[in-house]
Amino acid sequence: MHKSSTTATVVRTMMRKKRWTWVWCGWCGSAVCHRCAGLRTVLLAAVLITTLPLRSTGSEGGSERTTFELVGGQAALAAWTTSEVEMVPTDASLCEMSSGNNGGGEGETRMVPRYSGGIRISPRPVVVVAPEAKASPEACGVPSPFKLDAGVCIRLAESPSLELRSSHTATGHGSSSNSNTSNSSISGEVMCLPSFLIIGVMKGGTAEVQSWLGQHPLLHRWGGAWISGSGEAHYFDKVDSDANLQATWLSNYLRRGLALNATESPAITYTFEKTPSYVFMREEAIARVRRVLPSAKLILLLRSPAARAYSHFQHNCFKRRVWKVSNASAHLPAHIRGRVISMPSTLRGKNKRRRESVVRFVNKAFQAHAEVGDVQLLHHPCSARDFDVFVRMQANGAVDESAAITMTPTNSMVLRRGLYAAAIRRWLQHFDRSQLLILLTEAMQADMLATIDTILCDFLGIPRADYATHARTNERGFTVLEEMQSKSGKPHYGPMLLSTHHSLLRFYEEDIRELFAYVHAHDILKYWELPERSAVDGGGGNERKEEDGEGYNDDDEGNYDDDYGEEDDDDDA
Ligand SMILES: Nc1ncnc2c1ncn2[C@@H]1O[C@H](COP(=O)(O)OS(=O)(=O)O)[C@@H](OP(=O)(O)O)[C@H]1O
């Protein structure tokens, strides 16, 4: 079936150590892993390539390209796409098939650009090899056609004079050209905007999902081999105006992360990125996502907000951001003493400077007169007791076992980022519900393969890959892909105190109740161990109140709904 090497393109993606080698068969359109037992086909939703003579409307071999007209919307992109770059090239890999009498003879199959202006994306015709195969481990029974928007791809014109800086100037869009914009080597590269985004939540297991999906032969994650670390784009939360949308996109987002190189592009069809803080962006920023990626799909992982907060707190502790005010400093007011504080990620400098910043923060936030010697850095892992103090300190600003936790200007994002419902509501003002997939982290932990299957088959509608062969259970009971670098390298922390857990769940109760509009109550109740007075019976709201006010905020990007001065992003998460 995989007949000749001339029609097959070897695509090496997958595992860092290149354990998986994928072959993309240009004849039958399947991706196969030839390191697995024999030459095993792992993707059975073969593209109808038996009738695919790799013809194109424009040219052969990609030497000639066609510029396509934008058909509407996306004004911010139009200015430079039409003048500086050409839209999707006509080489077969980035094209799709269209059959019928649309401009061609009846029944004729022809290649059309996969993208024609940012709005109309024709579905890629697919033959589902095993249509009944929902139960089959190897084939996705759903995609006919793929449900996923193929995204927007561009090829930068191969003009030596094309430099991003000058293109930016030419289009007259403000002053936001970045220092790294003048790189003519990007000419000719094909770059794609993401077809889908993993928007949150931080500490919801997003890195794991990103890694798994990044192994899929049809998917290319932002950052890929080019970006180290977590590979979070933070594009939409950094863009602060529509004018900057253009320049920043080009220079920082697309160029760095979503370029397809020549080897990959034949097989990789979709790109995606994850930035877990996106979910908490303000409406203006979400509206920008909508303008740039109108048909993007969105994946949101929700973890029990109490567990998420603890994980976030420990993460901050690991990053040396958690400090404690001395208990013994008699000159400090009682409500400050012993306080555990999680500082903004923007806290910079070596020990002394950091300490001074912390003291400035404490004095400003609590109208105190602390001195440098009054604060002490806590080391990872922070204790459950430290977390408990941290949580209880949110109780009206005082250490008070009985007081309800309230939102104050100094409240930490560690807590705020567990308030999911309002954030979801904001996204759904701009995106259709069908574009958003909400998953529970705990369900993922219980069955990773099923979660990935839901994402691929039910939501994205792309074929399954053979993950099962490469999955193993790690020491924490998570299903991981072999050879993948696990993020669980840091020492794990102990369980949180039961009383902290209960306080937190009471605090989140109202928000959780609102979540039932988006997630099956049954699933939440199954996994999140709600307190007895649970949200299902509608019993008693909690005492949480949101207060507006100015917080300590030295890094307000203006794109978040809750800029209260703690870390608002985490490139190095
Ligand atoms: N397979 C699987 N199932 C469930 N949970 C998992 C899984 N893999 C990772 N994790 C846990 O996810 C936490 C990290 O989440 P993120 O990757 O979203 O973190 S980050 O926002 O990118 O920093 C982090 O939680 P904590 O260990 O509690 O901090 C990981 O342990």
Short mmCIF file of all heavy atoms in Angstrom, two decimals, residues 198 200-210 212 230 232 274-277 301 303 307-308 310-315 319 380 440-448 474 476-480 486-488 490-493 570-573, ligand 1:
data_model
loop_
_atom_site.label_atom_id
_atom_site.label_comp_id
_atom_site.label_asym_id
_atom_site.label_seq_id
_atom_site.Cartn_x
_atom_site.Cartn_y
_atom_site.Cartn_z
N ILE A 198 -4.85 26.30 23.57
CA ILE A 198 -5.13 25.80 24.93
C ILE A 198 -5.07 27.04 25.82
O ILE A 198 -4.01 27.64 26.00
CB ILE A 198 -4.08 24.76 25.36
CG1 ILE A 198 -4.08 23.58 24.39
CG2 ILE A 198 -4.34 24.29 26.79
CD1 ILE A 198 -2.93 22.60 24.60
N GLY A 200 -6.14 27.52 29.08
CA GLY A 200 -6.02 27.47 30.54
C GLY A 200 -6.40 26.10 31.07
O GLY A 200 -6.68 25.20 30.29
N VAL A 201 -6.43 26.03 32.39
CA VAL A 201 -6.00 27.05 33.33
C VAL A 201 -4.58 26.74 33.77
O VAL A 201 -4.13 25.59 33.64
CB VAL A 201 -6.90 27.10 34.59
CG1 VAL A 201 -8.30 27.51 34.21
CG2 VAL A 201 -6.89 25.77 35.36
N MET A 202 -3.91 27.76 34.23
CA MET A 202 -2.59 27.54 34.77
C MET A 202 -2.67 26.48 35.87
O MET A 202 -3.57 26.51 36.71
CB MET A 202 -2.08 28.87 35.36
CG MET A 202 -0.67 28.79 35.88
SD MET A 202 -0.21 30.39 36.60
CE MET A 202 1.30 29.93 37.42
N LYS A 203 -1.77 25.53 35.81
CA LYS A 203 -1.69 24.41 36.75
C LYS A 203 -2.80 23.39 36.52
O LYS A 203 -3.10 22.57 37.39
CB LYS A 203 -1.73 24.90 38.22
CG LYS A 203 -0.56 25.77 38.55
CD LYS A 203 0.71 24.97 38.57
CE LYS A 203 1.86 25.65 37.95
NZ LYS A 203 2.96 24.76 37.59
N GLY A 204 -3.38 23.45 35.34
CA GLY A 204 -4.43 22.50 35.02
C GLY A 204 -3.93 21.30 34.23
O GLY A 204 -4.72 20.49 33.74
N GLY A 205 -2.62 21.19 34.09
CA GLY A 205 -2.08 20.09 33.29
C GLY A 205 -1.93 20.46 31.82
O GLY A 205 -1.88 19.60 30.94
N THR A 206 -1.88 21.74 31.55
CA THR A 206 -1.85 22.21 30.16
C THR A 206 -0.56 21.81 29.44
O THR A 206 -0.58 21.53 28.24
CB THR A 206 -2.01 23.74 30.11
OG1 THR A 206 -0.98 24.34 30.93
CG2 THR A 206 -3.36 24.18 30.62
N ALA A 207 0.54 21.79 30.18
CA ALA A 207 1.80 21.45 29.53
C ALA A 207 1.77 20.00 29.05
O ALA A 207 2.28 19.67 27.98
CB ALA A 207 2.96 21.65 30.50
N GLU A 208 1.15 19.17 29.85
CA GLU A 208 1.07 17.76 29.49
C GLU A 208 0.23 17.58 28.21
O GLU A 208 0.62 16.88 27.28
CB GLU A 208 0.43 16.99 30.67
CG GLU A 208 0.59 15.50 30.61
CD GLU A 208 2.04 15.03 30.70
OE1 GLU A 208 2.92 15.79 31.15
OE2 GLU A 208 2.30 13.89 30.26
N VAL A 209 -0.89 18.25 28.18
CA VAL A 209 -1.74 18.14 26.99
C VAL A 209 -1.02 18.71 25.78
O VAL A 209 -1.05 18.13 24.68
CB VAL A 209 -3.09 18.88 27.23
CG1 VAL A 209 -3.90 18.97 25.96
CG2 VAL A 209 -3.89 18.14 28.29
N GLN A 210 -0.35 19.81 25.99
CA GLN A 210 0.41 20.39 24.88
C GLN A 210 1.44 19.39 24.35
O GLN A 210 1.59 19.22 23.13
CB GLN A 210 1.13 21.65 25.35
CG GLN A 210 2.07 22.22 24.32
CD GLN A 210 2.87 23.40 24.86
OE1 GLN A 210 2.76 24.50 24.36
NE2 GLN A 210 3.66 23.17 25.88
N TRP A 212 1.43 16.12 24.56
CA TRP A 212 0.79 14.99 23.87
C TRP A 212 0.34 15.40 22.47
O TRP A 212 0.61 14.71 21.50
CB TRP A 212 -0.41 14.49 24.68
CG TRP A 212 -0.04 13.59 25.82
CD1 TRP A 212 0.72 13.94 26.91
CD2 TRP A 212 -0.38 12.21 25.98
NE1 TRP A 212 0.86 12.86 27.75
CE2 TRP A 212 0.19 11.78 27.21
CE3 TRP A 212 -1.12 11.30 25.24
CZ2 TRP A 212 0.04 10.48 27.69
CZ3 TRP A 212 -1.28 10.00 25.72
CH2 TRP A 212 -0.69 9.61 26.92
N SER A 230 8.56 26.44 28.50
CA SER A 230 7.17 26.02 28.38
C SER A 230 6.60 26.32 27.00
O SER A 230 5.55 25.82 26.65
CB SER A 230 6.33 26.73 29.44
OG SER A 230 6.33 28.11 29.16
N GLU A 232 5.23 29.07 25.84
CA GLU A 232 3.95 29.80 25.87
C GLU A 232 4.10 31.08 25.08
O GLU A 232 5.01 31.87 25.32
CB GLU A 232 3.54 30.09 27.31
CG GLU A 232 3.16 28.82 28.04
CD GLU A 232 2.87 29.05 29.52
OE1 GLU A 232 2.81 30.22 29.94
OE2 GLU A 232 2.73 28.05 30.23
N LYS A 274 -0.40 27.01 23.45
CA LYS A 274 -1.03 27.06 24.76
C LYS A 274 -0.45 28.21 25.57
O LYS A 274 0.76 28.41 25.63
CB LYS A 274 -0.85 25.75 25.51
CG LYS A 274 0.48 25.55 26.21
CD LYS A 274 0.33 25.38 27.72
CE LYS A 274 1.70 25.24 28.38
NZ LYS A 274 1.72 25.35 29.82
N THR A 275 -1.33 28.99 26.09
CA THR A 275 -0.96 30.02 27.06
C THR A 275 -2.05 30.00 28.12
O THR A 275 -3.15 30.53 27.92
CB THR A 275 -0.87 31.41 26.41
OG1 THR A 275 0.11 31.38 25.36
CG2 THR A 275 -0.46 32.47 27.43
N PRO A 276 -1.79 29.34 29.24
CA PRO A 276 -2.89 29.09 30.18
C PRO A 276 -3.47 30.32 30.84
O PRO A 276 -4.56 30.26 31.39
CB PRO A 276 -2.27 28.13 31.21
CG PRO A 276 -0.83 28.05 30.94
CD PRO A 276 -0.54 28.67 29.62
N SER A 277 -2.77 31.42 30.76
CA SER A 277 -3.35 32.62 31.38
C SER A 277 -4.35 33.32 30.47
O SER A 277 -5.06 34.21 30.91
CB SER A 277 -2.24 33.59 31.78
OG SER A 277 -1.31 33.73 30.74
N LEU A 301 -8.74 23.43 30.33
CA LEU A 301 -8.70 22.40 31.37
C LEU A 301 -9.00 23.05 32.70
O LEU A 301 -8.36 24.05 33.06
CB LEU A 301 -7.29 21.80 31.42
CG LEU A 301 -6.96 20.82 30.31
CD1 LEU A 301 -5.51 20.96 29.90
CD2 LEU A 301 -7.25 19.40 30.76
N ARG A 303 -9.22 22.50 36.78
CA ARG A 303 -8.83 21.62 37.88
C ARG A 303 -9.57 22.12 39.13
O ARG A 303 -9.88 23.32 39.22
CB ARG A 303 -7.32 21.77 38.07
CG ARG A 303 -6.72 20.93 39.16
CD ARG A 303 -5.20 21.07 39.13
NE ARG A 303 -4.56 20.28 40.16
CZ ARG A 303 -3.25 20.25 40.36
NH1 ARG A 303 -2.44 20.97 39.58
NH2 ARG A 303 -2.73 19.52 41.32
N ALA A 307 -7.24 22.66 44.60
CA ALA A 307 -5.98 21.98 44.24
C ALA A 307 -5.15 22.86 43.32
O ALA A 307 -3.92 22.92 43.41
CB ALA A 307 -6.30 20.65 43.56
N ARG A 308 -5.84 23.57 42.44
CA ARG A 308 -5.11 24.45 41.52
C ARG A 308 -4.39 25.56 42.29
O ARG A 308 -3.24 25.88 42.02
CB ARG A 308 -6.11 25.06 40.53
CG ARG A 308 -5.49 25.65 39.28
CD ARG A 308 -6.18 26.93 38.85
NE ARG A 308 -5.90 27.99 39.81
CZ ARG A 308 -4.80 28.75 39.79
NH1 ARG A 308 -3.89 28.60 38.86
NH2 ARG A 308 -4.59 29.67 40.73
N TYR A 310 -3.37 25.52 45.34
CA TYR A 310 -2.22 24.97 46.09
C TYR A 310 -1.04 24.73 45.15
O TYR A 310 0.11 25.05 45.46
CB TYR A 310 -2.67 23.68 46.77
CG TYR A 310 -1.70 23.13 47.81
CD1 TYR A 310 -0.93 23.98 48.59
CD2 TYR A 310 -1.59 21.76 48.03
CE1 TYR A 310 -0.06 23.48 49.56
CE2 TYR A 310 -0.74 21.24 48.99
CZ TYR A 310 0.03 22.11 49.75
OH TYR A 310 0.89 21.60 50.70
N SER A 311 -1.33 24.19 44.01
CA SER A 311 -0.29 23.94 43.01
C SER A 311 0.36 25.26 42.58
O SER A 311 1.58 25.38 42.44
CB SER A 311 -0.90 23.22 41.81
OG SER A 311 0.00 23.16 40.75
N HIS A 312 -0.47 26.27 42.38
CA HIS A 312 0.01 27.59 41.98
C HIS A 312 0.90 28.19 43.08
O HIS A 312 1.97 28.74 42.83
CB HIS A 312 -1.22 28.48 41.74
CG HIS A 312 -0.93 29.78 41.04
ND1 HIS A 312 -1.89 30.47 40.37
CD2 HIS A 312 0.20 30.52 40.92
CE1 HIS A 312 -1.38 31.58 39.87
NE2 HIS A 312 -0.09 31.63 40.20
N PHE A 313 0.43 28.02 44.30
CA PHE A 313 1.21 28.53 45.44
C PHE A 313 2.58 27.83 45.50
O PHE A 313 3.61 28.48 45.67
CB PHE A 313 0.41 28.25 46.72
CG PHE A 313 1.10 28.66 47.99
CD1 PHE A 313 1.13 30.00 48.37
CD2 PHE A 313 1.72 27.72 48.79
CE1 PHE A 313 1.77 30.38 49.56
CE2 PHE A 313 2.35 28.09 49.97
CZ PHE A 313 2.38 29.42 50.36
N GLN A 314 2.57 26.53 45.32
CA GLN A 314 3.84 25.79 45.36
C GLN A 314 4.73 26.17 44.19
O GLN A 314 5.96 26.23 44.31
CB GLN A 314 3.57 24.28 45.34
CG GLN A 314 2.92 23.75 46.61
CD GLN A 314 3.84 23.82 47.83
OE1 GLN A 314 5.02 24.12 47.72
NE2 GLN A 314 3.28 23.56 49.02
N HIS A 315 4.10 26.44 43.08
CA HIS A 315 4.86 26.89 41.91
C HIS A 315 5.56 28.22 42.23
O HIS A 315 6.75 28.41 41.95
CB HIS A 315 3.88 27.07 40.74
CG HIS A 315 4.45 27.75 39.54
ND1 HIS A 315 5.13 27.08 38.55
CD2 HIS A 315 4.44 29.06 39.18
CE1 HIS A 315 5.51 27.94 37.62
NE2 HIS A 315 5.11 29.15 37.98
N LYS A 319 9.51 29.17 42.55
CA LYS A 319 10.10 30.31 41.83
C LYS A 319 10.65 31.37 42.79
O LYS A 319 10.98 32.47 42.38
CB LYS A 319 9.04 30.97 40.93
CG LYS A 319 8.56 30.08 39.82
CD LYS A 319 9.59 30.01 38.72
CE LYS A 319 9.17 29.07 37.61
NZ LYS A 319 10.22 28.87 36.62
N HIS A 380 11.07 25.99 48.69
CA HIS A 380 10.22 24.94 48.13
C HIS A 380 10.65 23.57 48.66
O HIS A 380 11.83 23.30 48.77
CB HIS A 380 10.33 24.96 46.60
CG HIS A 380 9.37 24.03 45.93
ND1 HIS A 380 9.68 22.73 45.61
CD2 HIS A 380 8.08 24.22 45.56
CE1 HIS A 380 8.63 22.15 45.04
NE2 HIS A 380 7.65 23.03 44.99
N LEU A 440 -11.89 18.37 32.55
CA LEU A 440 -11.46 18.42 33.94
C LEU A 440 -10.09 17.74 34.06
O LEU A 440 -9.89 16.62 33.56
CB LEU A 440 -12.45 17.71 34.85
CG LEU A 440 -13.86 18.31 34.92
CD1 LEU A 440 -14.68 17.61 36.01
CD2 LEU A 440 -13.82 19.81 35.18
N THR A 441 -9.20 18.42 34.72
CA THR A 441 -7.85 17.88 34.90
C THR A 441 -7.90 16.52 35.59
O THR A 441 -7.15 15.60 35.26
CB THR A 441 -7.02 18.85 35.77
OG1 THR A 441 -7.10 20.14 35.18
CG2 THR A 441 -5.58 18.42 35.88
N GLU A 442 -8.79 16.42 36.56
CA GLU A 442 -8.86 15.17 37.32
C GLU A 442 -9.34 14.02 36.44
O GLU A 442 -8.89 12.87 36.60
CB GLU A 442 -9.81 15.33 38.52
CG GLU A 442 -9.31 16.29 39.59
CD GLU A 442 -9.52 17.77 39.24
OE1 GLU A 442 -10.10 18.06 38.18
OE2 GLU A 442 -9.10 18.61 40.04
N ALA A 443 -10.23 14.32 35.50
CA ALA A 443 -10.68 13.28 34.58
C ALA A 443 -9.52 12.89 33.67
O ALA A 443 -9.35 11.71 33.32
CB ALA A 443 -11.86 13.77 33.77
N MET A 444 -8.75 13.86 33.32
CA MET A 444 -7.58 13.58 32.48
C MET A 444 -6.61 12.68 33.25
O MET A 444 -6.05 11.73 32.70
CB MET A 444 -6.89 14.89 32.11
CG MET A 444 -5.59 14.72 31.40
SD MET A 444 -4.91 16.30 30.90
CE MET A 444 -3.77 16.61 32.22
N GLN A 445 -6.44 12.99 34.49
CA GLN A 445 -5.54 12.17 35.30
C GLN A 445 -6.05 10.74 35.38
O GLN A 445 -5.29 9.78 35.31
CB GLN A 445 -5.42 12.77 36.69
CG GLN A 445 -4.46 12.04 37.57
CD GLN A 445 -4.19 12.80 38.86
OE1 GLN A 445 -4.60 13.94 39.00
NE2 GLN A 445 -3.50 12.17 39.78
N ALA A 446 -7.36 10.60 35.49
CA ALA A 446 -7.95 9.27 35.59
C ALA A 446 -7.80 8.49 34.29
O ALA A 446 -7.60 7.28 34.30
CB ALA A 446 -9.42 9.37 35.98
N ASP A 447 -7.88 9.18 33.18
CA ASP A 447 -7.79 8.47 31.89
C ASP A 447 -7.25 9.42 30.82
O ASP A 447 -8.01 10.05 30.09
CB ASP A 447 -9.17 7.92 31.50
CG ASP A 447 -9.06 6.91 30.36
OD1 ASP A 447 -8.02 6.90 29.67
OD2 ASP A 447 -10.01 6.13 30.18
N MET A 448 -5.96 9.48 30.75
CA MET A 448 -5.30 10.40 29.82
C MET A 448 -5.63 10.06 28.37
O MET A 448 -5.90 10.94 27.56
CB MET A 448 -3.78 10.32 30.03
CG MET A 448 -3.01 11.31 29.23
SD MET A 448 -3.27 12.96 29.90
CE MET A 448 -2.48 13.97 28.69
N ASN A 474 3.74 7.11 35.23
CA ASN A 474 4.91 7.58 35.98
C ASN A 474 4.72 7.37 37.48
O ASN A 474 3.68 6.87 37.92
CB ASN A 474 5.27 9.02 35.60
CG ASN A 474 4.34 10.05 36.23
OD1 ASN A 474 3.45 9.71 37.01
ND2 ASN A 474 4.54 11.31 35.88
N ARG A 476 3.98 9.23 39.76
CA ARG A 476 2.85 9.92 40.40
C ARG A 476 1.51 9.40 39.93
O ARG A 476 0.46 9.95 40.25
CB ARG A 476 2.96 11.42 40.17
CG ARG A 476 4.12 12.01 40.94
CD ARG A 476 4.18 13.50 40.80
NE ARG A 476 2.95 14.14 41.22
CZ ARG A 476 2.67 15.41 40.96
NH1 ARG A 476 3.53 16.14 40.28
NH2 ARG A 476 1.55 15.93 41.37
N GLY A 477 1.57 8.38 39.12
CA GLY A 477 0.31 7.79 38.65
C GLY A 477 -0.23 8.46 37.40
O GLY A 477 -1.31 8.13 36.93
N PHE A 478 0.50 9.42 36.83
CA PHE A 478 0.06 10.06 35.60
C PHE A 478 0.47 9.22 34.41
O PHE A 478 1.56 8.63 34.39
CB PHE A 478 0.70 11.44 35.41
CG PHE A 478 0.37 12.43 36.47
CD1 PHE A 478 1.24 13.48 36.75
CD2 PHE A 478 -0.80 12.35 37.20
CE1 PHE A 478 0.94 14.41 37.73
CE2 PHE A 478 -1.11 13.28 38.18
CZ PHE A 478 -0.23 14.31 38.45
N THR A 479 -0.40 9.20 33.43
CA THR A 479 -0.02 8.54 32.18
C THR A 479 0.79 9.54 31.37
O THR A 479 0.31 10.64 31.06
CB THR A 479 -1.28 8.13 31.39
OG1 THR A 479 -2.13 7.40 32.27
CG2 THR A 479 -0.92 7.27 30.19
N VAL A 480 1.99 9.18 31.05
CA VAL A 480 2.86 10.09 30.29
C VAL A 480 3.39 9.36 29.07
O VAL A 480 3.32 8.13 28.99
CB VAL A 480 4.04 10.58 31.16
CG1 VAL A 480 3.56 11.44 32.30
CG2 VAL A 480 4.86 9.40 31.68
N SER A 486 9.43 15.12 31.74
CA SER A 486 8.30 15.39 32.61
C SER A 486 8.55 16.68 33.38
O SER A 486 9.66 17.01 33.75
CB SER A 486 8.13 14.24 33.57
OG SER A 486 7.27 14.62 34.60
N LYS A 487 7.48 17.40 33.62
CA LYS A 487 7.61 18.61 34.41
C LYS A 487 7.60 18.31 35.89
O LYS A 487 7.70 19.19 36.71
CB LYS A 487 6.47 19.58 34.07
CG LYS A 487 6.69 20.29 32.77
CD LYS A 487 5.67 21.36 32.57
CE LYS A 487 5.93 22.54 33.50
NZ LYS A 487 5.00 23.65 33.27
N SER A 488 7.40 17.03 36.20
CA SER A 488 7.30 16.72 37.62
C SER A 488 8.68 16.57 38.25
O SER A 488 8.85 15.91 39.25
CB SER A 488 6.47 15.46 37.84
OG SER A 488 7.02 14.41 37.10
N LYS A 490 10.42 18.74 39.78
CA LYS A 490 10.58 19.37 41.09
C LYS A 490 10.00 18.46 42.17
O LYS A 490 9.03 17.74 41.92
CB LYS A 490 9.97 20.76 41.12
CG LYS A 490 8.66 20.92 40.44
CD LYS A 490 8.20 22.38 40.49
CE LYS A 490 7.35 22.75 39.31
NZ LYS A 490 6.64 23.96 39.31
N PRO A 491 10.60 18.55 43.34
CA PRO A 491 10.08 17.69 44.41
C PRO A 491 8.62 17.99 44.68
O PRO A 491 8.18 19.14 44.60
CB PRO A 491 10.93 18.08 45.63
CG PRO A 491 11.72 19.27 45.23
CD PRO A 491 11.68 19.42 43.75
N HIS A 492 7.87 16.94 44.92
CA HIS A 492 6.45 17.18 45.12
C HIS A 492 6.21 17.67 46.54
O HIS A 492 7.02 17.49 47.44
CB HIS A 492 5.62 15.95 44.80
CG HIS A 492 4.20 16.31 44.52
ND1 HIS A 492 3.85 17.29 43.62
CD2 HIS A 492 3.04 15.85 45.04
CE1 HIS A 492 2.52 17.41 43.59
NE2 HIS A 492 2.01 16.55 44.44
N TYR A 493 5.08 18.29 46.69
CA TYR A 493 4.75 18.87 47.99
C TYR A 493 3.74 17.99 48.70
O TYR A 493 3.05 17.18 48.08
CB TYR A 493 4.20 20.29 47.78
CG TYR A 493 3.15 20.40 46.71
CD1 TYR A 493 1.81 20.14 46.99
CD2 TYR A 493 3.48 20.74 45.40
CE1 TYR A 493 0.84 20.23 46.00
CE2 TYR A 493 2.51 20.84 44.40
CZ TYR A 493 1.19 20.58 44.72
OH TYR A 493 0.23 20.65 43.74
N ASP A 570 3.51 33.63 33.00
CA ASP A 570 4.60 32.85 33.52
C ASP A 570 5.30 32.14 32.40
O ASP A 570 5.11 30.96 32.17
CB ASP A 570 4.04 31.84 34.53
CG ASP A 570 4.99 31.69 35.69
OD1 ASP A 570 6.13 32.15 35.56
OD2 ASP A 570 4.59 31.13 36.71
N ASP A 571 6.10 32.87 31.73
CA ASP A 571 6.81 32.26 30.62
C ASP A 571 7.61 31.05 31.05
O ASP A 571 7.78 30.11 30.30
CB ASP A 571 7.77 33.28 30.00
CG ASP A 571 7.01 34.24 29.12
OD1 ASP A 571 5.98 33.82 28.58
OD2 ASP A 571 7.44 35.39 28.99
N ASP A 572 8.08 31.13 32.22
CA ASP A 572 8.93 30.04 32.67
C ASP A 572 8.17 29.05 33.53
O ASP A 572 8.72 28.39 34.37
CB ASP A 572 10.12 30.60 33.46
CG ASP A 572 9.65 31.49 34.58
OD1 ASP A 572 8.43 31.68 34.74
OD2 ASP A 572 10.49 32.01 35.31
N ALA A 573 6.89 29.01 33.32
CA ALA A 573 6.05 28.16 34.17
C ALA A 573 6.55 26.73 34.19
O ALA A 573 6.95 26.19 33.20
CB ALA A 573 4.62 28.18 33.68
N1 LIG B 1 -1.40 13.64 33.29
C1 LIG B 1 -1.67 14.52 34.23
N2 LIG B 1 -2.86 14.49 34.87
C2 LIG B 1 -3.16 15.41 35.81
N3 LIG B 1 -2.33 16.38 36.20
C3 LIG B 1 -1.14 16.43 35.61
C4 LIG B 1 -0.76 15.52 34.61
N4 LIG B 1 0.47 15.86 34.23
C5 LIG B 1 0.83 16.91 34.96
N5 LIG B 1 -0.13 17.24 35.80
C6 LIG B 1 -0.12 18.31 36.80
O1 LIG B 1 -0.47 19.53 36.19
C7 LIG B 1 0.14 20.57 36.93
C8 LIG B 1 0.86 21.49 35.99
O2 LIG B 1 -0.09 22.09 35.20
P1 LIG B 1 0.31 22.96 33.94
O3 LIG B 1 1.13 22.16 33.03
O4 LIG B 1 -0.95 23.53 33.40
O5 LIG B 1 1.20 24.09 34.60
S1 LIG B 1 1.63 25.44 33.94
O6 LIG B 1 0.51 26.34 34.04
O7 LIG B 1 2.05 25.18 32.57
O8 LIG B 1 2.74 25.87 34.80
C9 LIG B 1 1.08 19.93 37.92
O9 LIG B 1 0.39 19.92 39.16
P2 LIG B 1 1.14 19.92 40.57
O10 LIG B 1 2.13 18.79 40.53
O11 LIG B 1 0.07 19.73 41.57
O12 LIG B 1 1.82 21.25 40.71
C10 LIG B 1 1.26 18.57 37.36
O13 LIG B 1 1.59 17.61 38.31
#
